[in-house]
Amino acid sequence: MAFLLRRVVFYLAAFIAAATINFFLPRLMPGDPIQKMFAGAGSDLSLENLNALKLTFGFIDAPIGEQYLAYLKSVFTGDLGRSVRFFPLPVTELLGRALIWTVGLVGTATIIGFTIGTLLGVMAAWRRGTRFDTVISLLSIFSSSVPAVVVSLITLFAFGYTLGWFPNGYAADPMLDPAWGWDYIASVLYHGTLPMLTMVIVLTGGFAVTMRNNMINLLGEDYIVMGRAKGLSDRGVMLWYAARNALLPTVSALAISLGAVLGGSLVTEVVFNYPGMGNTLYQAILARDYPVIQGALLIMTAAMLVANFVVDLSYVLLDPRLKRA
Amino acid sequence: MSAPVLSIRNLTIDYIGATSDFHAVKNVSFDIGKGEFFGLAGESGCGKSTIAFAISRLHRPPALIRTGSQILLDGRDVFTLDDAALKQLRWREVAMVFQSAMNSLNPVLSIERQFYDVLKTHTGMSRVAARARAAELLKLVDIPADRLTAYPHQLSGGMRQRVVIAICLALNPKLLIMDEPTTALDVVVQREILERIHKLRQELGFSVLFITHDLALMVQVSDRIGIMLEGELVEVNDAQAIYRTPQHDYTKKLWASIPRLTGKPIAEVTP
Amino acid sequence: QVVLTVSSEQTTTYVRNFNPFNQTSARATTKDFIYEPLAIFNRLAGAKWEYRLAESFELADDLKSITFVLRDGLKWSDGQPLTADDVVFTYDNLKKFPALDFNSVGKLMESVEKLDARTVRFNLIQPNSLVATTIVAMPIVPQHIWKDVADPVTFTNENPVGSGPMTEITRFTPQVYEQCRNPNYWDAASLHVDCIRMPQLADNPQVLAALVDGTLDWATSFVPDIDNTFVAKDPVNNHYWFLPSSLVAFTLNLESPDANNKKAFNDVNFRRAVSMLIDRQSIIDIAGYGYPVINEDPAMLGSFYKAFGNPEVVTQFGQYGKFDLEAGKALLEQSGYVDKDGDGFRDNADGTPIAIDIEIPNGWTDWIDAVQIAIESLKQGGLNVKMSTPEESVWASDLIDAKYSMSLNAIASAANPYFPYIRSFNPADFGKSRTSAQRWTDPEVVEMLNKYTQVKDPAEQKSIMDAIQLKVAAAMPVIPVYNSPSFYQYSTKRFTGWANAENPITSPVVSNANPGRLLQLLALRPVAQ
Amino acid sequence: MTDSAPILALDNVSKVFHRGGSTVHAARAVSFALHPGRTLALVGESGSGKTTAARLIMREYRPDQGRLLFRGEPIEGSAVRDMKAYRSAVQMVFQDPFSSLNPVHTIRYHLERPMRLHQSSLKGAARDAAIAEVLTRVKLDPALILPKYPHELSGGQRQRISIARALAVNPEVIIADEPTSMLDVSVRLGILNLLNDMKRQLKLAVLYITHDIATARYVAEDIMVMYAGQIVEWGETESVLGNPQHPYTRLLLSAVPDPDRRFGDTRFSDELDRIDLIRRQSALEQPEVQEIGPNHFIRPMPV
Amino acid sequence: MSVLTQLLRNRKALVGVTILAIVILVAIFAPLLTEYSPTQRVGRPHQPPSTDHLLGTTRLGYDVFTRLLYGARISLAVGFGAGLLITVIGTVLGIIAGYKGGVVDEVITFLTNMVLVIPNLPLLLVLAAFIGQASPLVIAVILGFTSWAWGVRVTRSETLSIRQRDFVKSAEMLGEPSWRIMAFEIFPNLISIVGINFIGSVLFAVITEATLEFLGLGDPNTVSWGIMLYNAQNASALSVGAWWDILTPCFALAVLGLGLALINFAIDEIANPRLRTGGMLARWTGLIRRGEGTL
Ligand SMILES: Nc1ncnc2c1ncn2[C@@H]1O[C@H](COP(=O)(O)OP(=O)(O)OP(=O)(O)O)[C@@H](O)[C@H]1O
Ligand SMILES: Nc1ncnc2c1ncn2[C@@H]1O[C@H](COP(=O)(O)OP(=O)(O)OP(=O)(O)O)[C@@H](O)[C@H]1O
Ligand SMILES: [Mg+2]
Ligand SMILES: [Mg+2]
């Protein structure tokens, strides 16, 4: 378990480092949310009163070290402060709401994209050089190279505006009350279709290419040939010998690519006005809502760390070579 | 010699390239009799493994077995078999030990699972029965049954090679192909393994196609030997004949290059 | 139950915050609807005061105090009486917590005293004839509740006790909330709406969608190409009426850090020429979808303050407010701004180069479009101009600190032109407010402005205002472009009584900057189903 | 042994590797000396520590204990200049001719670099001549070979280039770690002969590492048998191979393929029956040294 | 056979290189291909494609086709600039970490893993917002300094395996200085990895620049595909039916992305012969079909 221990230490250090970056980034940014609010509103708040407000919202000029320690403490106690824009909503609650949507969107899209992509990759590699392989490879290259913005906009254009099959955004019909009723769920699914489709398109190609290349690299291995020599069925060799081994690097690519997935989901959420983490972060950046920016970045980083940790764990489970006493 | 187990006729195999082909095996013919230990020797890259792969039709593109080649196993031409028959043939009749023991076991499956694969596919054996059979087979190669739950990386190279041999014997094949089974091992381990094969063959009566480039070893273990040079089979003969009275210049040159442990360091080339 | 569906703010989630002093995150229906103003100045229907909580107010002759008399029998929504004590408490509280004072009204007060249970006198530091406007913008809160609030700045007032028509929060979720009738409302007889419902709508397209499908009765939102995208969907019921509001104008920084620019900017002919090189109509048509109202008034009042306008301004200086490429070029030419160094751009008469950077906040796309259009004609006029788009608050502080060369600025509209003038030209505000960013002042103008607040006679006021306008127009310190529209969409499907061009009863914009929305609410009548 | 002074000697050198909780004794109290004009063979099974010994000499590893003597002087954390002298005196020939030449550089580059680094006095034409000379020494045609890339050469040719590169610095000692094990039988002998020639003509001291005892016999005057980091038997080649005393040596010899004997007919058949015992016992530490005969020693296996 | 000739023989690479070449040519010769200026209103707002305006006009009345041509300049410049920076940093750090090992490696690897677990785009968003008006140059620089981690990881692991090869050892034993070993022995063997890293980074930079600009964090003075997207989105191009305004930059980004990805894929195939499927498989299939052999 030394391997896992090492990783845990890394994750802790990474988390603290990320938290630190989070702390300093907004402090480097010019402007603060209060000033921002009044820059737009053209209100008559006097400079003195503005400063009084800043103080109340915690934009204090305490020594940076002191602020940092207080911040670290609050991070570890799960207190991310309160949103300025949505005062006094605690950041955790604001992001908690957003997180549900993003997890739903990203989670489902990743599962679908990963499954389809991996299967296509496996089959393409197995039938290397056939027309199937050529078509799948080209499609995958294409889908993995087109920016998420472009895919979202085109999907929105095609299915939202031109064909009018799906709504042009939002997580659900705003007039419906969130409840576990069928209406609401149907509305959520209906609204989620296009963002989901976008994410799946963006993700599938990458997984397919990775899996295909991993598979092809493995197909020359002796144990694959031995699997065939044993008279196992093609599908058995493909799945139990090749795919299973090729999956390992793909899974770790998945964890690393989660950062990109989050980036893709940010764009998709913005285009479709989906109330997830990415959109919340984006809005917070526009409003200079520092506590929310900090919180969102921290949660995203934590999600990356958790994903990597899960991958590490699954590595240990999937690959007996790591299971050292 | 009675009807041969394996009979190769005019085997020609090319590797297709983008512009030109590489002729890896050129019109090779030889037989292996029942219970015979046949050695195939030759330098690296002369086409030995290519022949071995062709016997159970394991090649993948861009290898191409030219029309006109024949490989008869017990009189049946393997090139005419359909998929189902081919799967039957593999391992049941021809089992194979690959060049590198390190890599021929699936690293993520337990040893037991790799026995079970074969037994399940070919005999539909249950997991429990397969476990018993696997334990029995491991005993043949002198590995305690409790290693069944181990994963390949937990075994030493020699042990892995013996596990592969045990898996090969699972279905009592008629022909065991060993493609340089011991090159990665040191001499003592090599010796152990070959002694065991030698004994098992006497007990079980299978034939062996033994591929190596170590001529001295080959003469020690084989009944008959074929010498290959750049895709062609240049000489086939009794082991002793190959050693004592090599016919082909190439064979003679080979012997002349091998330092000896006793007597003169280098053998005289018999003119 | 009569429910009115309103979109008065765009947000991604609702947070239960009804603190009327909070400018950033309180719900937009807090002021006016929960906390009724003392009075509302109705600019439209005859420019007169509508008394609400106050029954009247009286400015002292020396203009050093103002006395408000509350209506009889006013009650808070919880049944407690609303008295002068509450007013005094509110102002004392502002002094205690300056962060609450979003209107800077505390600065004007010497003291606030209760004369009797219904009468309050505000004693002013300086004579001020316009102070009522500022005072009525400050909500009055109940003493019996707020005295126990430890930190009223961060207090979220989740269950507000108020004086307005809609005080009861009957439902609150992040997606929608409802505010219903105040059981103790003094003017219940005028109120024909039982509840207002605010669905959470995140942005303009979403509001448009809700407008088009008939969900919303009353909204304030930018809608592109509104005749096609909204009205045409249901021409009988879907309507809009855009009123001009704040002035959008170019400012040239007379204290520009760049000495060469500064030289040019301080020349009135240069400023006039720049003004003549700006294609206002294209800006309005293209950047503004035709919604804004053009402002070609060199004294910067324009049609918004039509009632105050001095016709002399147009006669004397009108041509400087109009786009005229050739005239602009000619004026530059004759003032000595020609290309001396051969780089294709005009230079100062002494040969020093002029290079103007127009600073615009990042993300304010209509302004960016406007500036891009302006740049085209300015370049044709031979000026070296480009645009930069710093972050919003950077832009704001650059303007406050006069660290820019040229910018587009917004000057809030008010009940009286005195306010834009004093905010723009009062040297005491230099370095404190964005409105004074051009750093132009004139002692005579300031003196006249001070005098303006100290006279009571309307005729005298008018003559002062006329004189000020001439002075300003002559100097042209600010280059007006347009008055931006305030957006107002409504549906007659369920309610009638809406203000519009034919029926200009009040300013009906439902955003929280417009107290007139209360009058609009009271004017609504449900359509019999 | 000979009376000439050794150039290079290991004196009681030990090296332990720690890997994931277990320790591997890759070298245990290893001592030997290399003499000019003589080849010392180091044989033993895979993983016995042969390469470790080579790397200790090449200063890739630092010994945990013991000293490395160069011309009788210990070299320990020595100055950069001494290191340079050492590097030009001691060179290595690698086992794998495919990976010991950089595929992106021509043969000329491979030979020029050592010249530039270690014979910097040679310039221009002189250097070209020197390069041509080492190539002729390894029986390759300079004109043909110099512009080629490694992948254009056969395994044997590449191994010759490796040797030429080692020779290009004018070394006194050559460490050859299994220099022929990846070559085909037919070219193997050529390389061995080449090594023998070098040794004789240039008075090189050669450490020949192999697991092929027969080739060791062909090139080496002296031989050492290594097992589990320990040298278990050493002495003059003919004496050790002709009269092996340590059980492990005997086991090794009996396992070497010998075309004159069929299976079941071996020199030391009882050793073959005791494989596990011999392995286990030989792996134990054995500080005691016995002299079996003139210049023939063993560390007896504990029983 | 040099990498270049191999590239030109690969059909995917050929298509990719052609696309890239066209985009580069278009960028260079933009002024010759259009009569308009990209920052001058030349028509009424949102005119649909016509012979005067091949791809219509924008909300402000700019010619979309002209902006497309000029926009290629920025997209390419940022792509290649940032790609180069990312690759240089990634390669240098990767080789140093892989070759030096020890503490240096630990530190670099830790940094790399750190950067890898911080989601890149959100971080970039925050950084770009912090800088305010992010000109293409600024975007390229921050991309360069935040996105090298992947390159380090790949280069390092490849360096680790090359470092094991005997030619590195033999260079060490000759006493070559370590910078020389890294630069002349290891680096040339990494060319294909570096190439993949470079093209991949260019692709990433092109996409990310467009994304940041689309999200409103770019400089609106810029004429780039991202700003085109941003303007079109702000002008509600989709809801008012001006599809040409928004689909044009979309299409351009997609095509450039595809071109780069194809080149990358091809380099991958050249570096790793196992992935190659090209000519030989076609020939093989032909031979099988003609009955000249079996498997
Ligand atoms: N997939 C392939 N494509 C092209 N050529 C190949 C392929 N596989 C093998 N070859 C070539 O075919 C020839 C014969 O290969 P084979 O593996 O049969 O040799 P071998 O005799 O087994 O050699 P070794 O002793 O090294 O195992 C070699 O020259 C090899 O380069
Ligand atoms: N860097 C290292 N770290 C940990 N263990 C090592 C290291 N190098 C070698 N070893 C271990 O030390 C022992 C001796 O290794 P060495 O390479 O010297 O053996 P060898 O006799 O040269 O083997 P071969 O014949 O296979 O080359 C082996 O068990 C090996 O696993
Ligand atoms: Mg082979
Ligand atoms: Mg070794």
Side-chain angles (χ1 to χ4, degrees), chain B residues 15 22 24 43-50 62 99 180 213:
Chain B
Y15 287 104
F22 180 80
E43 285 182 5
S44 172
C46 67
K48 305 181 297 287
S49 301
T50 307
Q99 203 154 351
E180 310 199 28
H213 53 242

Side-chain angles (χ1 to χ4, degrees), chain C residues 251-439:
Chain C
T251 59
L252 291 166
N253 181 4
L254 302 195
E255 293 180 9
S256 172
D258 179 321
N260 301 333
N261 286 348
K262 187 173 166 181
K263 215 175 296 166
F265 295 172
N266 276 288
D267 175 3
V268 66
N269 283 328
F270 186 83
R271 298 201 291 271
R272 286 171 174 168
V274 167
S275 170
M276 287 193 279
L277 291 178
I278 286 165
D279 184 355
R280 293 174 178 74
Q281 198 57 50
S282 293
I283 289 178
I284 287 165
D285 290 345
I286 294 171
Y289 285 85
Y291 303 157
V293 175
I294 195 163
N295 189 332
E296 297 179 320
D297 180 1
M300 69 195 253
L301 299 186
S303 57
F304 184 86
Y305 298 106
K306 205 161 32 195
F308 298 88
N310 179 0
E312 261 307 288
V313 168
V314 183
T315 342
Q316 288 187 30
F317 306 106
Q319 74 269 28
Y320 300 129
K322 289 200 161 60
F323 173 53
D324 187 338
L325 192 62
E326 291 317 312
K329 282 206 265 196
L331 182 54
L332 284 172
E333 207 75 37
Q334 95 202 26
S335 314
Y337 299 99
V338 289
D339 181 12
K340 293 250 163 66
D341 57 11
D343 62 352
F345 294 116
R346 293 178 192 276
D347 306 300
N348 276 318
D350 61 4
T352 47
I354 304 171
I356 304 175
D357 177 21
I358 307 184
E359 236 179 75
I360 296 299
N362 194 357
W364 292 22
T365 48
D366 47 345
W367 282 26
I368 290 172
D369 289 352
V371 168
Q372 282 181 335
I373 294 168
I375 285 180
E376 275 185 45
S377 51
L378 287 169
K379 275 190 173 157
Q380 280 168 25
L383 295 176
N384 180 6
V385 273
K386 66 180 184 58
M387 174 178 71
S388 67
T389 57
E391 204 275 316
E392 202 169 289
S393 49
V394 172
W395 166 78
S397 58
D398 279 357
L399 259 61
I400 291 172
D401 302 339
K403 282 192 300 219
Y404 70 103
S405 63
M406 183 169 172
S407 180
L408 210 51
N409 202 356
I411 298 160
S413 52
N416 189 297
Y418 163 79
F419 291 101
Y421 279 151
I422 192 73
R423 286 175 194 153
S424 301
F425 307 136
N426 182 6
D429 278 349
F430 286 7
K432 288 186 183 166
S433 127
R434 210 183 66 204
T435 321
S436 62
Q438 55 285 337
R439 295 283 169 106

Side-chain angles (χ1 to χ4, degrees), chain E residues 146-195:
Chain E
T146 51
S147 315
W148 43 263
W150 185 251
V152 172
R153 186 179 256 228
V154 178
T155 315
R156 174 179 171 273
S157 74
E158 195 64 22
T159 305
L160 280 180
S161 87
I162 287 178
R163 191 196 148 176
Q164 293 307 314
R165 309 263 292 275
D166 288 339
F167 64 78
V168 175
K169 299 232 175 69
S170 83
E172 281 166 358
M173 281 163 193
L174 278 176
E176 295 267 22
S178 56
W179 68 265
R180 232 200 116 91
I181 293 181
M182 290 189 270
F184 290 95
E185 304 292 334
I186 296 178
F187 174 72
N189 283 287
L190 293 173
I191 287 292
S192 63
I193 291 272
V194 171

Side-chain angles (χ1 to χ4, degrees), chain A residues 128, chain B residues 13-17 21-25 40-53 59-63 99 179-180 183 211-213 228 231, chain D residues 184, chain E residues 280:
Chain A
R128 194 160 72 94
Chain B
I13 304 177
D14 292 347
Y15 287 104
I16 307 300
D21 301 344
F22 180 80
H23 307 289
V25 175
L40 196 55
E43 285 182 5
S44 172
C46 67
K48 305 181 297 287
S49 301
T50 307
I51 294 180
F53 269 47
H59 278 298
R60 303 211 24 116
Q99 203 154 351
D179 189 356
E180 310 199 28
T183 24
I211 296 174
T212 181
H213 53 242
M228 283 190 72
Chain D
D184 280 329
Chain E
M280 67 186 183

